[in-house]
Amino acid sequence: MSARIIDGKAVAARVRERVAAEVEELPVRPGLATVLVGDDPASTMYVRMKREDSAAVGIESFHHEPGGNVSQDELAALLRSLGDDERVHGILLQLPLPDHLDQDEAIERIDPAKDVDGLTAVNAGLLAQGRPGLVPCTPAGVMELLAEAGVELEGAHAVVLGRSILVGKPVAALLLQANATVTHCHSRTRDLAAVCRQADVLVAAVGSPRLVTADMVSEGTVVIDVGTNRTDDGLVGDVDFDAVKEVAGAITPVPGGVGPMTRAMLLSNTVAAARSQLGPHAAEARPGAAVRR
């Protein structure tokens, strides 16, 4: 029997509806600043879609394009100015940056309270310690999908493929917080297939087309495919979807699975950041706004 398909588009739509309602309850309009360095077509498209998403839920967009030749100091000055701007509650620095810029140094110039990508060392540290903070959008989206699918994580064996700071490490931390037993795999893992077959939940986030094959998945496993790989066959994930869906209990497709959740959780993080910065005043609705209780 084929696996149940976890529809990321539908879950993302529900998240956006929830965010729109939360925006209405805030005393100010949340602001999201996007910073696009260079003219990479994919990055340009992603930022455009994020700004459109923001507008759709009532988040104000502040867009900046400092140019592909911007210096490290100039970029740092821009990020500091956005940190000082009270209209801006979230800062998104679109990655990757051009080669002449130090990406890690640029990320650390973002105010952690406005770090809606959850990439600063402060937020990464808070996540590692299980303390409240802003969580990277894709891992947060993965957890939302698992919750929507009704997956019982407590006591489950979760296997994570990939150890990037963007997905692998933070999603492993979130699974641990949910009381799953986590095995973290990477390029040096011995007998990867055998380890994967032990999983109740398998999260693939390595950027390798169709790496996970049917013989690596046990019957009934929940498979979350974070991979987005452009091939001659079009966009494919890290999982051999057609084969694995015949074994798995539930699975996310590519496209239409984790991807839409990343954008939706950016909106959710922006509202969370605004609420945190407003403090006690966050409960006061804007004049004319409909208060939901």
Side-chain angles (χ1 to χ4, degrees):
M1 182 179 295
S2 293
R4 174 165 54 100
I5 306 302
I6 303 174
D7 187 348
K9 290 182 179 179
V11 179
R14 289 194 286 274
V15 171
R16 289 194 297 271
E17 289 177 4
R18 182 182 74 209
V19 169
E22 291 172 346
V23 167
E24 285 295 315
E25 295 178 354
L26 291 174
V28 299
R29 187 178 180 188
L32 174 64
T34 51
V35 179
L36 177 63
V37 182
D39 55 2
D40 178 73
S43 292
T44 300
M45 178 185 68
Y46 293 148
V47 170
R48 175 180 55 78
M49 291 191 298
K50 291 168 183 176
R51 295 179 67 201
E52 291 172 353
D53 290 343
S54 297
V57 299
I59 293 174
E60 189 170 4
S61 176
F62 301 94
H63 183 57
H64 297 267
E65 293 188 24
N69 295 321
V70 66
S71 70
Q72 194 82 45
D73 288 344
E74 289 169 335
L75 180 58
L78 171 59
L79 294 171
R80 281 195 298 270
S81 71
L82 294 175
D84 294 335
D85 191 337
E86 293 185 355
R87 301 171 303 164
V88 173
H89 302 95
I91 301 171
L92 172 71
L93 176 62
Q94 183 65 36
L95 303 177
L97 296 177
D99 291 341
H100 72 281
L101 294 171
D102 185 323
Q103 183 167 292
D104 292 339
E105 182 180 335
I107 289 171
E108 290 310 309
R109 300 285 78 77
I110 298 172
D111 181 344
K114 300 184 180 185
D115 171 29
V116 287
D117 251 348
L119 295 180
T120 59
V122 169
N123 282 315
L126 291 170
L127 176 58
Q129 293 186 357
R131 296 164 59 188
L134 291 168
V135 176
C137 301
T138 299
V142 168
M143 299 303 290
E144 190 88 15
L145 288 173
L146 289 169
E148 284 277 346
V151 179
E152 179 56 61
L153 291 174
E154 185 163 349
H157 185 187
V159 174
V160 177
L161 307 186
R163 51 182 172 179
S164 72
I165 63 169
L166 292 171
V167 182
K169 289 180 179 178
V171 81
L174 290 170
L175 288 164
L176 278 172
Q177 288 182 23
N179 295 321
T181 297
V182 179
T183 299
H184 211 154
C185 297
H186 44 78
S187 60
R188 304 296 193 275
T189 299
R190 296 176 182 173
D191 201 350
L192 180 62
V195 177
C196 289
R197 283 193 291 269
Q198 300 173 23
D200 300 308
V201 176
L202 179 63
V203 180
V206 291
S208 181
R210 300 190 180 102
L211 171 71
V212 178
T213 53
D215 66 326
M216 298 170 66
V217 178
S218 294
E219 186 173 351
T221 298
V222 177
V223 179
I224 305 295
D225 190 353
V226 183
T228 303
N229 308 287
R230 299 188 183 279
T231 71
D232 293 339
D233 298 326
L235 199 65
V236 301
D238 290 347
V239 176
D240 185 353
F241 179 82
D242 290 336
V244 171
K245 74 177 182 179
E246 301 303 323
V247 182
I251 190 170
T252 57
V254 175
V258 176
M261 294 302 301
T262 298
R263 289 163 51 194
M265 299 315 293
L266 172 65
L267 306 176
S268 181
N269 273 359
T270 301
V271 170
R275 188 182 293 116
S276 177
Q277 290 162 50
L278 292 167
H281 303 295
E284 302 172 4
R286 293 198 310 271
V291 179
R292 298 168 176 80
R293 303 195 184 279

